[in-house]
Amino acid sequence: MDFDVIVLGAGIVGVSSALHLQDRGRRVALIDRRGAGEETSFGNAGLIERSSIVPYGMPRKLGTLLRYARNQSTDLYWDYKALPAFASWLARYWWESSPPRLAAAARDMLPLIRHSVTEHDALIARAGVSELVHDGGWIEAFHHRATFEREAADAEIAAREHGLRMVALDGAALRAREPAIGEGFCGALHWLDPKSVANPGALTQGYARLFEAGGGTFLNGEATTLRAEHGAWTVETAQGRVSAKEVVVALGPWSDTVFAPLGYRIPLRGKRGYHMHYQPARAMLSVPVVDSEQGYVIAPMEGERLRLTTGVEIAVRGTPPTGVQLERAERLARPLFGLGARLDAQPWLGMRPSTPDMRPVIGPAPRHPGLWFAFGHNHHGLTLGPVTGRLLAEMMTGATPFTDVRPYRAERFE
């Protein structure tokens, strides 16, 4: 049970990292307490988001902050008991979201975003899962004319600068394109370069099958059993102890359960979110639609289902689900999108692993030889999984990375 590399976490980032390391000749063990793609990678909106050039910064307008303080928003709900645990994280998030720092974050993230679709395309073709992935982009819809016109003007500039394809639609054109959408939106931006995934969990599982077909080993085990012993890293699994000279922590919002005991104080937090599936009462959507002003997404999923994914809930990990955001979003979305009956017995709850500077942590641990990090992708884990795997594998095997890796180093938080 000796390997070259152990990858902890079989979400989209971990599976992609294992694949890219395997492609470069490493013998890899992929370890998770569950099956591949059954946690955070299962429940997202299914967007491979090539057009998200600017990260999701913390709003700085006074009116928005006052609305958040009243805790009545659809896009953000906070549990007052979580505020002490999130206070310093939120303070840094606010600081990093100033216009110049947000622009710097966008520049640092651009190389990863730019390669996101092409890196997915390569794995999709090899894994034979093209039926899960659809061209056509996604739609960003607006309720208020002034907001739509302002965002459309900014989008035109961004599209020209970054070579993106975007079409502005008025309300009538939006409803003509998507008959499932009712009255309520005055306009929308149709971003054409992203792709959508009809079953994100199945996509990750398809990549995991490709890994195993290439000789990779998938094991069930507990990441917190990681130990450094006699120049190697060991992990306990259901099949016994495994060891390797190198280990990758790709546990998403649970990555701190491994790095914190080793003395690293990386400010990683999980932004919670919910989803629910619905029977369409009208026509199916052809692409995902974001209610930009209310902060939820309606996405067409496999099996003729519509998936509603909510905005952000600030709560301590392990706190029971509240369902507050889902209820608020469902109330708005049901008449707009023709949502029929709920199809799930309970709402799904997941966490988006987030850093306050809106950049992932990718690279070596500063004080532990052979320990590598790949987590903290904020709202873009599905988008950035394969490109992260490529970059990490290039670093670990001594190849020249395709981009500057300094913005993602763990040392920036020390």
Side-chain angles (χ1 to χ4, degrees), residues 205-353:
Q205 291 158 13
Y207 291 175
R209 288 193 299 272
L210 175 64
F211 166 72
E212 292 187 279
T217 300
F218 182 89
L219 302 168
N220 288 121
E222 179 52 60
T224 56
T225 64
L226 178 70
R227 299 290 184 269
E229 297 179 355
H230 310 298
W233 293 95
T234 66
V235 179
E236 301 295 335
T237 76
Q239 291 76 21
R241 179 178 296 184
V242 299
S243 65
K245 288 191 175 181
E246 296 183 291
V247 61
V248 176
V249 179
L251 293 162
W254 296 277
S255 296
D256 62 326
T257 63
V258 171
F259 69 67
L262 295 173
Y264 295 97
R265 297 294 176 256
I266 300 169
L268 181 74
R269 295 290 184 273
K271 298 178 183 177
R272 304 208 316 182
Y274 299 83
H275 87 218
M276 173 59 69
H277 292 106
Y278 301 85
Q279 183 177 4
R282 297 196 288 262
M284 275 290 289
L285 291 172
S286 66
V287 298
V289 179
V290 179
D291 186 332
S292 186
E293 295 178 60
Q294 297 293 338
Y296 64 87
V297 180
I298 304 292
M301 289 285 151
E302 196 175 52
E304 292 295 304
R305 302 173 299 163
L306 293 172
R307 174 180 289 184
L308 186 160
T309 62
T310 71
V312 171
E313 179 178 78
I314 301 297
V316 174
R317 184 170 57 205
T319 302
T322 66
V324 171
Q325 278 187 308
L326 182 63
E327 292 172 6
R328 291 175 180 175
E330 183 182 291
R331 194 179 308 121
L332 296 169
R334 190 176 292 279
L336 276 170
F337 293 94
L339 301 184
R342 286 187 173 191
L343 297 177
D344 304 326
Q346 297 293 332
W348 178 86
L349 169 63
M351 293 187 290
R352 306 168 179 104

Side-chain angles (χ1 to χ4, degrees), residues 55 92-93 96 101 105 355-360 378 407 412-413:
R92 177 147 186 186
Y93 187 26
E96 295 283 1
R101 292 185 180 89
T355 61
D357 68 352
M358 295 158 284
R359 300 162 177 88
N378 297 278
R412 71 187 192 266
F413 293 119

